[in-house]
Amino acid sequence: MADHYDVLIMGAGPGGYVAAIRAAQLGFKTACVESRDSLGGTCLNIGCIPSKALLQSSEKFAEARHALAEHGIKIGEVALDLAAMMARKDKVVGTLTRGVEFLFRKNKIEWLKGRGRITAPGRVLVTGADGAAQQVEAGSIIIATGSESAPLPAFDIDEERIVSSTGALSLDRVPERLIVIGGGYIGLELGSVWQRLGAKVTVVEILDRIVPNMDLELGTALQRVLARSGIEFRLSSRLAGIRKTGDGLTLELEGAERQTLAADVVLVSVGRRPHTAGLGLEAVGVACDEAGRIIVDDGFATNLPGICAIGDVIRGPMLAHKAAEEGIALAERLAGQKPHVDYDAIPAVVYTWPEVASVGKTEEELKAAAIPYRAGKFPFTANPRARTNGYTEGFVKILAERDSDRVLGVHIIGPDAGTLIAEAVLAKEFGASAEDIARTCHAHPTLSEAVTEAAQAAAGRAIHI
Ligand SMILES: Cc1cc2nc3c(=O)[nH]c(=O)nc-3n(C[C@H](O)[C@H](O)[C@H](O)COP(=O)(O)OP(=O)(O)OC[C@H]3O[C@@H](n4cnc5c(N)ncnc54)[C@H](O)[C@@H]3O)c2cc1C
């Protein structure tokens, strides 16, 4: 007799493991199939967490080398122990992935170790690393198998000289010259890590701007700051060829003019694609769109009864917190509740220095939709806490509907933007007006005062500018 579960989840990333915990909390007998040796998916193992650990370490290194003297702190020669930095990153990852294992045990969720394939609605074959197969049955199957780096056709990723984000998280020495193909957030974050550690970094982007999904003003400001820190940009340039030359690589770029660049390592970060291979979707008839994403309705149901999907494998931004929101909402729907995910209130953050964070509509989107709005902007140069901290780069921009004053979008570039955006997300969730934020008392001196003042600026009454 096959084991039977109320809810069976395929994939233990932030979508899958969070759905599993919420389903178990709601009283469902729950199992999660995961083929990796550790839980937590892309996010914990090869994504958000290791990249942020390296961003933190490399930021400290850069600070020790260049920024402490202005505070009157003199230290001796600063040296890099890359192996120790990598070991710290691995330790952080291990602690968090084991934390998810603990949560599974606490909530009595069974981890079925192996690769899952749907053989029929309600039936999944789980094949372990040793080849042993087990058939399991479930009332509801949730596909949360995430995404993988999109390859560049014709360029082989060897994870040594031509690397994906996974390889770029584990280089064993600092490359002299790193070329990043793709000016999205993953390329910019990992490019920043290696630039701070000493690499000469060049970002090649096919479009005429970086972080193309964000408000244009943020992207332009970010590019300016990163360029000042030493990162070079080749925009409107397409990678046409890579030649291996001895220990190095020669890249041919096409654009307004042909260019040749030399590199030691090339990071290919041109986006991610949904991970659906080997799931048995075609055989059972689960419908996917032309981009390979599983098609779901507003309640995450696929075209087949009893099979749902969440996270990177469906439409929407490929972000860990979006996957987790969907996981919670879906588990609650299976329990008969009526939760709702507001896709207009999902923040996006780029963890470069300065950080960039956004929620809601960009100015370009409002203009394209002919929505009348007012913009309030406040620079960190006029924020006392930013001055005391010595980080005055950037600004807060609030976009509010012209007549109703409802907050439509908030865009921040500056110190701790990823944390500051939380207030804006809450404002959007509550349908707040810019005046609501402007009249909310913020502690002094904090960076968050820049958010209040941007809201005041939307009504033409900022105090400190
Ligand atoms: C370098 C990098 C940095 C990132 N940084 C951020 C960030 O700062 N913030 C953010 O929000 N997002 C970030 N992301 C994106 C984030 O990691 C993803 O959006 C998120 O992990 C998606 O969650 P998920 O649950 O949909 O899938 P995943 O996390 O991809 O998990 C899917 C899991 O399914 C498993 N699986 C696949 N097929 C099968 C199968 N047949 N059987 C069993 N198991 C299977 C996989 O092994 C995997 O563990 C980053 C990604 C990368 C690569």
Side-chain angles (χ1 to χ4, degrees):
M1 273 267 289
D3 285 334
H4 184 94
Y5 299 92
D6 299 324
V7 179
L8 180 84
I9 295 149
M10 299 173 72
Y17 88 72
V18 170
I21 292 171
R22 190 69 190 112
Q25 284 175 345
L26 290 163
F28 292 117
K29 184 182 175 195
T30 305
C32 186
V33 189
E34 172 55 61
S35 53
R36 228 180 259 281
D37 290 336
S38 50
L39 300 174
T42 302
C43 173
L44 267 62
N45 289 281
I46 52 165
C48 325
I49 297 305
S51 58
K52 266 80 250 177
L54 289 183
L55 278 160
Q56 179 72 5
S57 297
S58 60
E59 200 174 301
K60 287 200 177 302
F61 179 66
E63 214 173 34
R65 279 175 83 194
H66 306 298
L68 292 181
E70 84 165 276
H71 291 268
I73 302 168
K74 287 192 182 161
I75 45 179
E77 198 190 328
V78 178
L80 174 67
D81 182 346
L82 185 60
M85 197 179 276
M86 290 293 172
R88 175 187 178 275
K89 171 209 60 167
D90 293 340
K91 193 171 165 206
V92 172
V93 167
T95 307
L96 289 174
T97 56
R98 283 193 303 279
V100 180
E101 275 185 54
F102 163 77
L103 292 173
F104 269 26
R105 283 194 300 276
K106 179 183 162 204
N107 288 285
K108 304 196 172 35
I109 298 161
E110 201 161 333
W111 174 6
L112 304 175
K113 296 184 183 179
R115 192 158 283 286
R117 181 165 59 84
I118 304 173
T119 50
R123 293 177 77 82
V124 171
L125 187 72
V126 181
T127 307
D130 59 0
Q134 175 193 3
Q135 186 77 241
V136 289
E137 292 177 355
S140 298
I141 296 172
I142 300 178
I143 304 171
T145 48
S147 62
E148 56 193 357
S149 296
L152 262 185
F155 302 111
D156 281 343
I157 307 267
D158 59 22
E159 296 297 13
E160 283 179 12
R161 283 202 277 169
I162 304 179
V163 300
S164 69
S165 58
T166 305
L169 288 167
S170 298
L171 298 179
D172 57 9
R173 64 197 150 96
V174 181
E176 230 174 88
R177 298 155 302 178
L178 171 71
I179 293 184
V180 178
I181 309 294
Y185 80 92
I186 293 178
L188 296 178
E189 289 182 5
L190 293 175
S192 295
V193 165
W194 292 106
Q195 190 264 340
R196 292 168 189 169
L197 298 181
K200 172 86 202 89
V201 174
T202 306
V203 175
V204 175
E205 167 59 53
I206 197 163
L207 301 176
D208 60 359
R209 54 178 292 195
I210 59 170
V211 284
N213 296 329
M214 288 195 143
D215 190 275
L216 179 60
E217 206 178 351
L218 290 194
T220 310
L222 178 63
Q223 187 187 333
R224 205 170 37 237
V225 184
L226 292 180
R228 222 184 300 135
S229 77
I231 295 182
E232 260 189 48
F233 290 90
R234 302 290 166 100
L235 302 184
S236 307
S237 300
R238 193 182 72 84
L239 178 66
I242 305 181
R243 265 182 298 121
K244 291 191 174 171
T245 46
D247 282 349
L249 299 160
T250 303
L251 280 74
E252 299 291 338
L253 305 186
E254 284 175 355
E257 60 198 60
R258 273 191 95 84
Q259 302 171 57
T260 304
L261 295 181
D264 303 293
V265 174
V266 172
L267 161 60
V268 177
S269 54
V270 292
R272 297 183 61 78
R273 64 180 183 192
H275 188 209
T276 53
L279 296 181
L281 301 187
E282 272 183 33
V284 291
V286 173
C288 293
D289 65 17
E290 66 291 343
R293 296 170 298 204
I294 296 173
I295 298 172
V296 293
D297 65 14
D298 288 348
F300 310 106
T302 68
N303 58 316
L304 293 191
I307 303 182
C308 302
I310 54 169
D312 280 9
V313 86
I314 65 168
R315 79 289 185 264
M318 288 185 168
L319 292 170
H321 43 279
K322 175 260 193 188
E325 282 294 310
E326 292 176 340
I328 290 171
L330 175 52
E332 292 177 351
R333 272 178 175 266
L334 295 177
Q337 300 178 15
K338 301 218 170 347
H340 164 75
V341 176
D342 181 356
Y343 288 95
D344 204 34
I346 293 192
V349 181
V350 186
Y351 296 86
T352 42
W353 185 259
E355 288 184 353
V356 181
S358 264
V359 66
K361 299 279 182 276
T362 64
E363 267 199 92
E364 294 72 50
E365 285 170 335
L366 294 179
K367 282 179 187 152
I371 297 172
Y373 66 93
R374 278 182 294 130
K377 219 169 128 182
F378 190 81
F380 283 104
T381 44
N383 173 269
R385 188 57 189 271
R387 283 273 167 207
T388 63
N389 292 359
Y391 302 130
T392 51
E393 209 68 72
F395 56 84
V396 179
K397 178 163 84 173
I398 294 188
L399 305 173
E401 201 169 41
R402 197 180 54 206
D403 296 333
S404 69
D405 196 36
R406 193 163 54 96
V407 174
L408 299 175
V410 178
H411 307 281
I412 307 176
I413 175 166
D416 232 358
T419 306
L420 294 176
I421 200 71
E423 174 178 5
V425 179
L426 194 67
K428 276 198 65 62
E429 281 287 354
F430 279 83
S433 64
E435 186 177 1
D436 289 326
I437 300 177
R439 293 200 181 276
T440 301
C441 183
H442 289 66
H444 175 77
T446 59
L447 297 171
S448 68
E449 287 173 291
V451 180
T452 338
E453 294 233 36
Q456 290 168 350
R461 59 177 192 85
I463 301 293
H464 291 96
I465 195 94

